[in-house]
Each structure stands twice: as structure tokens, then as C-alpha cells.
Amino acid sequence: MSKQFDVIVIGGGPGGYVAAIRAAQLGFNVACIDEWKNEKGGPAPGGTCTNVGCIPSKALLQSSEHFEHANKHFAEHGITASDVKMDVAKMIARKDTVVKQNNDGILYLFKKNKISFFHGRGSFVKAAEGGYEIKVAGAAEESLTGKQIIIATGSNARALPGTPFDEELVLSNDGALRVGAVPKKLGLIGSGVIGLEMGSVWRRLGAEVTILEGLPTFLGAVDEQIAKEAKKAFDKQGLKIELGVKVGEIKTGKKGVSIAYTNAKGEAQSLDVDKLIVSIGRVPNTIGLNVEAVGLALDERGAIVVDGDCKTNLPGVWAVGDVVRGPMLAHKAEEEGVAVAERIAGQHGHVNFNTVPWVIYTSPEIAWVGRTEQQLKADGVKYKAGTFPFLANGRARALGDTTGMVKMLADAETDEILGVHIVGPQASELISEAVVAMEFKASSEDIARICHAHPSLSEATKEAALAVDKRTLNF
Ligand code: FAD
Ligand code: NAI
């Protein structure tokens, strides 16, 4: 006998578990199915984000940053820390604890919201009367029927053709987060978000890191001025990034990995490393969903086709997060999950794609929202730009971290903020003010007139707003 639900969510990552909670809050009888297993085979909801993405990467970034501070920056404060050592096993164990706390937190939230959680793989069986029959293949097999189905099955790392991940020598994000000892030489393919974050972790811990990037421009999606400033900082740190390369044959052996490539000048090169992280993007995951059984439409990339409201081609079937179009970000997945639950309840769920922030958690951090200067030029929009360097910010000086700047772009006629781009300390936190401002359609003058606490890094945002009108006070 099939168990009946109003809403069945397949996938318990940030898109899925948040959709389940919102649907339960709205009074629906909700099931959430997730197949992720912890090392004991038990449930580990939270998806890529919690298990092998956002959370563990930030834990390692924090540990490695402490190590770098102790080694390189404590002395500036008069602190002697000699013989500083990194116990990699302990760092990884701490990261695992942080992950487990998050897994447990989600299981608690399922209970609190009376969501029925099923641990296993969910797949379509058939369209049933008034909904769909879903099979759960796990420790125990279950049959569920749901009036509404939300698919949030996420994404998987893309492998280089002919070079599958073995997670020992050729690592995806999964293996990159559980390397047992600092490799002497680490190679990465792709200087995108994962390449820079993971490259930074292992460089700080002492690895000689080389990142091979296919495109000739560094961080092409980022505002050029900001990307240039970030690249300068990474170069200074010794993070070696080669742009415009063409990766050829990759050989693995007892000594590690050998990568043949041609550099930007077209010269044949080779790179020998102990381990290689391949971070060249991610592919939507519909493996095992049995989409054929119900005729769910996928696009040429394998993503589930949805409209602006996350509706698929099937009535009552929705899809959110990495498995659909749009940026592959946890907060985008969450926003879509909430909006879909609200639409199912007849409300007007809404996601504003123009104000989805991006953050790269390197040091310096890089964060942005809205359009870049190059996008505004391409769109033919007349704009004013204001920048303010952290070098002139008192709090940044006190912190000992004056790299970077805040840059604000505003419409030349209306003064509406069109984009804010930050490279520097705590950019991840500073960007929120810009997101709020843009959601409220604020002008740069609005920010310039708001009282910001002193001394704080956020004063750099106010000063960048003042700079739009060429009237900074402290620079
Ligand atoms: P996922 O988190 O991938 O969750 C999907 C879940 O569905 C998984 O648990 C999977 O096991 C389960 N599943 C799949 N198929 C089935 C099935 N048939 N039955 C049952 N369960 C199934 N984003 C940020 O915003 N900030 C960051 O700092 C950040 N850092 C990242 C760092 C790394 C190293 C990586 C790889 C990604 C990072 N991301 C970050 C991206 C973020 O992790 C994803 O955008 C986010 O997890 C997408 O959420 P989702 O719910 O769509 O999918
Ligand atoms: P990415 O799309 O950020 O970067 C991939 C890079 O690899 C690009 O620069 C691309 O030009 C390059 N590339 C692609 N194919 C190549 C090839 N054959 N040879 C050399 N270079 C090649 O993808 P990444 O870093 O794998 O991350 C995947 C996604 O996960 C991100 O786009 C983001 O959505 C999410 N993520 C978000 C984080 C955050 O929000 N802080 C952190 C990590 C991941």
C-alpha cells in the first residue's frame, strides 16, 4: 500500500530540505527523500552543500587561514608562535564534525516540522491518480504517492573526458575535501570557484599549487577591475594560475599525476603533481530518477527543463536548485525551494535572479551582486562608478588586511544601484548590504546618506557610494 503525501520532495540538499520545511509550514503533509550516506551508511541530509560543498570547504578554509595567520601574520601583532604545525587529520576530523552537526540539524528540522524523511533513492514509477507514484530504494523499499513532486537532485562534478575521478590521485570536490596529508605539489584544472577555494586551502598548508585554466581571462564573470585586484593578491601569495591553456593527456602512476598541456603561447608543457583536483564545473544530476517513466523533459545539458516558476513539462512536478538552469548556488536553490512551496499553496513565491549574490571565500574574499562594468557597457547602459580602497579604511588597517576595494555602479540618470563588487576582507558579509539596497531599488545616494558604524569595513561601502558622486571623505 502506497503512503500518501501532499508533497514529495526528492533530494535533501538546500533546495529540497528547505522546500520541504516551507511546504510543511504551509500545512502540507510532506515527505522528503534523500540518498546521501554518511560513513556508517546512515542518512546525511544536506546534499552537496552540507556534505562535500559549502560547509566543509568553509571549515577547511577557516582552519588553513588560522594556520597561515599563525605562521605569517601573528608576528606583526607582536605574537611569537614558533614551530606552528598542522595536524591535517585533526583538521579533517573537525570538518567532519561540522558536517555532522549540519546533517543532524536537518534531521532535527524534519522532525520539528513533522516531515516524513525517507533515506534512499527516489524514482518515478508512474503517474498515479491525482499525482505520481514514487519508489524509494533504500534499506527498506517504500512506495509513496504525492499530489505534488519537487525535484531537487542537485549536481555532480564534471570529469575531464577520459580521466575519471579515482578520488586518490584525480580528485573531485569530494576527494579534495579529504586529502589525508598536504601534497607537495598540487595541480588543479579550472580556476573557477572551487579551483580558487581549494587551491587556497592547500597552498596555505604548504602545497605548491598550480592551477591550469582554459580561458584566457581570469574569472571572466567577475567585474574586470575586481578580478585584476584579486589576481594580484593570489600571485603575491604564490598561487600559480596559468591562463589560456589546453589540457591534453593526463597520466596517473605511482609517482602521481602527469598533465600534458599547451600554454597560452601554444607551447607544449607538462605538469607533474602528487594530486590533481579537477574543478571544471558541475553537471545536473538526474541519475536514477527514472524520468522516462513519466516523460519529464531534460535539456541538452541534462538539466530538468523548467519555466520561470520552476514548473516542469509535467503538471504537479517542479524542479529547483542545481538540477535546473541558473547559478549553482545553495542560496539560489533555497530561494527556489521556498518559492515553489508557496506557489503550490497558491501564493506568489518569487525569486529575483538580479539580486542573487556570489561569494568566493578566498583571501581576499570576492563578492558581488548585480551587473559588472563590462556587462553594463555591453548592455549600453550609462552608469557612474565609485570605488573605495580598504587601504583607506580604519577598521581594515586595524585588522591588518587592507587588500582590495568596494566598487559601486549606479545608473547615470536615476542613480539606482546596478551592481556592487567587492574584493577584500569580509566581502561575504559586506555584500548583504548591497543585496538589500538593490532589492529596495536604492540609489547610491541612499547608501551615502546612511549612518554606518565606525570603525567598520562597511564604511568602505558607504565611501564607494560617496565616490559615485565623487565626494569620498577619507580618500
Ligand atoms: P544538492 O545539494 O546537490 O542536493 C541534492 C541531494 O539530492 C543530494 O543529497 C543527493 O544525494 C540527493 N539525490 C539526488 N538524486 C536523488 C534521488 N534520486 N533520490 C534521493 N536523493 C537524491 N554554494 C554556495 O552558495 N556557497 C558556497 O560556499 C558553495 N560552496 C561550494 C563548494 C563546493 C566544493 C561545491 C562542490 C559546491 C559549493 N556550492 C556553494 C554549491 C552548492 O553546494 C550547490 O549549489 C547546492 O548544494 C545545490 O543544492 P541542491 O539542493 O540543488 O542540490
Ligand atoms: P566554475 O564554473 O566556477 O569554474 C570552472 C572553471 O574551469 C572555469 O573557469 C572554466 O573556464 C574552467 N574550465 C572548464 N573546462 C576546462 C578545461 N577543460 N580545461 C581547463 N579549464 C577548464 O566551476 P567549479 O569551480 O567546478 O565549481 C562548480 C560550481 O560550484 C560553481 O560554478 C558554483 O556554482 C559552485 N560553487 C560555489 C562556491 C561558492 O559559492 N563559494 C564554491 C564552490 C563551488
Side-chain angles (χ1 to χ4, degrees):
M1 178 65 187
S2 193
K3 294 180 178 156
Q4 310 281 320
F5 292 94
D6 298 324
V7 179
I8 297 176
V9 183
I10 308 178
Y17 90 78
V18 167
I21 292 173
R22 186 69 189 119
Q25 284 174 346
L26 290 163
F28 294 113
N29 176 20
V30 182
C32 183
I33 310 166
D34 187 83
E35 65 177 344
W36 206 292
K37 290 187 182 119
N38 61 25
E39 73 289 353
K40 289 182 187 143
T48 301
C49 170
T50 300
N51 292 294
V52 291
C54 326
I55 301 299
S57 60
K58 268 79 250 179
L60 296 191
L61 279 157
Q62 190 62 50
S63 300
S64 59
E65 193 160 11
H66 283 321
F67 181 69
E68 178 143 291
H69 276 285
N71 266 322
K72 298 196 178 149
H73 304 297
F74 274 13
E76 297 155 21
H77 297 262
I79 304 167
T80 307
S82 55
D83 203 21
V84 177
K85 289 200 180 79
M86 173 50 90
D87 181 341
V88 174
K90 199 160 179 183
M91 173 184 79
I92 299 286
R94 173 187 176 274
K95 179 262 301 178
D96 291 341
T97 306
V98 174
V99 168
K100 186 166 184 311
Q101 285 164 346
N102 282 273
N103 296 141
D104 291 348
I106 296 167
L107 288 169
Y108 160 78
L109 291 171
F110 283 152
K111 266 204 192 121
K112 182 184 162 204
N113 288 284
K114 302 192 173 45
I115 294 162
S116 302
F117 175 67
F118 295 90
H119 188 213
R121 173 169 287 186
S123 59
F124 282 99
V125 178
K126 60 178 190 295
E129 206 181 314
Y132 297 85
E133 186 185 334
I134 305 289
K135 180 176 94 176
V136 184
E141 198 157 299
E142 300 266 3
S143 167
L144 318 179
T145 305
K147 291 181 200 153
Q148 302 278 335
I149 310 294
I150 304 175
I151 304 169
T153 46
S155 63
N156 292 319
R158 182 197 306 279
L160 276 167
T163 309
F165 297 114
D166 60 23
E167 303 299 0
E168 282 302 321
L169 293 172
V170 181
L171 316 175
S172 69
N173 55 297
D174 187 356
L177 289 159
R178 50 186 171 80
V179 175
V182 181
K184 201 164 172 297
K185 287 187 176 184
L186 174 70
L188 293 101
I189 313 245
S191 69
V193 198
I194 296 181
L196 293 173
E197 290 188 357
M198 287 297 103
S200 293
V201 165
W202 297 105
R203 185 216 40 89
R204 289 170 190 166
L205 300 181
E208 191 184 317
V209 176
T210 306
I211 309 182
L212 302 177
E213 166 60 46
L215 291 177
T217 23
F218 178 62
L219 286 179
V222 175
D223 186 274
E224 260 171 38
Q225 195 179 359
I226 297 293
K228 227 171 157 181
E229 191 74 12
K231 178 78 168 43
K232 245 184 358 200
F234 297 140
D235 287 346
K236 210 165 136 196
Q237 291 164 8
L239 195 63
K240 202 169 156 212
I241 303 167
E242 273 205 55
L243 300 172
V245 311
K246 194 165 180 335
V247 174
E249 198 185 359
I250 297 182
K251 286 189 196 146
T252 54
K254 278 198 186 115
K255 285 193 177 153
V257 189
S258 177
I259 305 122
Y261 67 99
T262 44
N263 65 15
K265 292 183 198 147
E267 298 158 343
Q269 306 282 323
S270 81
L271 174 70
D272 294 317
V273 291
D274 301 307
K275 288 189 189 286
L276 177 70
I277 298 173
V278 177
S279 47
I280 56 167
R282 297 179 63 79
V283 282
N285 172 30
T286 52
I287 301 165
L289 263 182
N290 197 20
V291 295
E292 304 79 17
V294 284
L296 182 68
L298 307 182
D299 69 13
E300 61 291 347
R301 292 182 317 122
I304 296 175
V305 178
V306 287
D307 65 9
D309 286 347
C310 292
K311 276 188 189 142
T312 69
N313 65 316
L314 302 174
V317 180
W318 311 74
V320 302
D322 280 12
V323 78
V324 304
R325 49 63 200 130
M328 288 185 169
L329 295 173
H331 41 284
K332 176 265 192 184
E334 291 183 18
E335 293 302 315
E336 286 184 332
V338 167
V340 163
E342 291 178 351
R343 283 174 200 133
I344 290 173
Q347 299 182 358
H348 298 279
H350 178 65
V351 182
N352 183 357
F353 281 96
N354 297 324
T355 54
V356 174
W358 274 86
V359 179
I360 307 178
Y361 294 81
T362 42
S363 179
E365 290 185 344
I366 304 164
W368 71 97
V369 59
R371 280 181 281 178
T372 61
E373 205 167 340
Q374 59 267 28
Q375 280 171 331
L376 291 175
K377 276 185 188 147
D379 294 347
V381 177
K382 288 208 174 77
Y383 63 90
K384 300 175 284 182
T387 57
F388 188 82
F390 285 107
L391 199 65
N393 174 276
R395 185 74 196 280
R397 285 193 202 117
L399 287 172
D401 191 354
T402 53
T403 316
M405 69 180 89
V406 178
K407 172 170 179 174
M408 190 173 287
L409 300 166
D411 189 284
E413 275 151 36
T414 65
D415 194 34
E416 183 180 337
I417 300 170
L418 302 174
V420 176
H421 307 271
I422 309 175
V423 55
Q426 300 289 327
S428 55
E429 300 297 332
L430 294 175
I431 201 66
S432 294
E433 179 182 6
V435 177
V436 173
M438 284 182 66
E439 276 288 349
F440 284 93
K441 297 203 167 291
S443 62
S444 76
E445 189 184 348
D446 288 330
I447 299 289
R449 287 189 181 279
I450 289 169
C451 179
H452 287 65
H454 175 77
S456 71
L457 296 170
S458 70
E459 286 173 292
T461 307
K462 178 188 169 104
E463 290 274 9
L466 284 165
V468 169
D469 198 31
K470 298 195 171 39
R471 54 188 180 98
T472 51
L473 296 165
N474 287 287
F475 189 62

